[in-house]
């Protein structure tokens, strides 16, 4: 139902910061749990972070906990991923997704994926 478009990716040096944005279409954005996932070269897509419909709950993969922050602005139909202290192993295509419920390991009732945005971290 909802269509998602990511932006904000780019190339940064290790230790740098980057903020990714995901713009959603439609008028029901606030009814979705949202999440970020990533897929590095030669790897499977993995969970990064999720956020509940009203942003009461957030969840993070252990690999990014303390460095990444997920947030949302329902008035703007947008979700964000602020990434700090980036490492080369963070290099991946990052995807946002919408689902029914945000949980500690991903999303339930997955509705849609964005096209992805590339993040490259050099050492």
């Amino acid at each position: 139902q909802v269509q998602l478009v990511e932006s904000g990716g780019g190339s940064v040096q290790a230790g740098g910061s980057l903020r990714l944005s995901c713009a959603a279409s439609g008028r029901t954005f606030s009814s979705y749990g949202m999440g970020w996932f990533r897929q590095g070269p030669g790897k499977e897509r993995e969970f990064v972070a999720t956020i509940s419909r009203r942003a009461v709950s957030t969840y993070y993969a252990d690999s990014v906990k303390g460095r990444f922050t997920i947030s949302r602005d329902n008035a703007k139909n947008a979700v964000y991923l602020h990434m700090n202290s980036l490492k080369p192993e963070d290099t991946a295509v990052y995807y946002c997704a919408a689902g029914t419920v945000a949980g500690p390991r991903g999303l339930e009732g997955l509705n849609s994926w964005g096209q992805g945005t590339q993040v490259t971290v050099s050492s």
Side-chain angles (χ1 to χ4, degrees):
Q1 291 289 337
V2 63
Q3 293 185 326
L4 307 171
V5 180
E6 302 95 335
S7 63
S11 182
V12 298
Q13 292 184 317
S17 299
L18 205 61
R19 189 181 78 161
L20 306 182
S21 299
C22 177
S25 64
R27 298 173 57 186
T28 59
F29 176 74
S30 63
S31 68
Y32 295 98
M34 299 294 297
W36 287 95
F37 300 78
R38 67 186 183 186
Q39 186 168 15
K43 298 182 178 180
E44 296 183 349
R45 191 170 299 185
E46 65 177 353
F47 158 74
V48 175
T50 56
I51 186 167
S52 62
R53 290 180 290 180
R54 297 183 63 183
V56 173
S57 301
T58 57
Y59 305 94
Y60 299 92
D62 288 343
S63 60
V64 307
K65 194 173 300 181
R67 299 188 298 119
F68 290 11
T69 302
I70 187 171
S71 62
R72 68 190 297 163
D73 187 338
N74 289 347
K76 296 181 178 179
N77 278 19
V79 62
Y80 309 96
L81 185 69
H82 194 279
M83 305 181 292
N84 296 316
S85 302
L86 284 162
K87 305 174 180 179
E89 49 263 47
D90 294 319
T91 295
V93 177
Y94 284 71
Y95 301 87
C96 63
T100 303
V101 179
R105 295 191 296 176
L107 295 170
E108 296 179 8
L110 196 61
N111 180 278
S112 61
W113 295 92
Q115 294 297 312
T117 185
Q118 176 71 47
V119 172
T120 302
V121 184
S122 60
S123 60

